[in-house]
Amino acid sequence: SPPAQPPPKPPPGPEPWEDEMLAMARRQSSQFQERNGLTDEEERQRARRDADLGYLKNVVVEFLCAPSDRIRATLVPVLQAVLHFSPVEVQRVNSVPQWRR
């Protein structure tokens, strides 16, 4: 029978410089997050605000470009909701004749 082969050697571990580079990348990432000051939750909130602002922009563009007061009047409640109008502001805007539906 053929002689027994020695078991294969395990793959070599990371080189010391690889460990050092990984540790440095982790430190830089942590420092960036600290400087940036944003947690995952804060980043989600920022993304949500950006999306809300984009939606508001689209509604305002539609409002300004609408061909008639009747169409603009349908956007008034949307603007009131997105901009969180107070009851007094809602009443004031709704008292304008062309915004009544």
Side-chain angles (χ1 to χ4, degrees):
S1 87
Q5 296 287 331
K9 291 184 179 178
E15 296 289 327
W17 65 268
E18 291 174 308
D19 285 337
E20 187 177 322
M21 292 295 287
L22 184 58
M24 185 170 58
R26 286 184 180 136
R27 280 193 306 274
Q28 287 176 340
S29 176
S30 176
Q31 289 168 354
F32 174 76
Q33 285 181 331
E34 287 174 13
R35 275 196 313 268
N36 197 11
L38 296 179
T39 64
D40 288 342
E41 178 60 29
E42 289 168 329
E43 180 60 29
R44 280 191 289 280
Q45 289 174 355
R46 185 195 60 75
R48 175 64 189 243
R49 280 191 307 273
D50 289 350
D52 289 347
L53 185 58
Y55 178 73
L56 174 61
K57 182 180 99 170
N58 289 334
V59 172
V60 169
V61 167
E62 290 300 314
F63 182 87
L64 294 173
C65 296
S68 71
D69 284 345
R70 187 181 62 74
I71 293 172
R72 277 189 284 280
T74 64
L75 294 170
V76 168
V78 176
L79 289 169
Q80 291 171 340
V82 171
L83 294 172
H84 306 284
F85 280 20
S86 71
V88 171
E89 293 165 330
V90 169
Q91 185 178 17
R92 185 173 172 208
V93 170
N94 289 344
S95 71
V96 177
Q98 65 259 37
W99 303 145
R100 290 192 195 128
R101 291 192 279 164

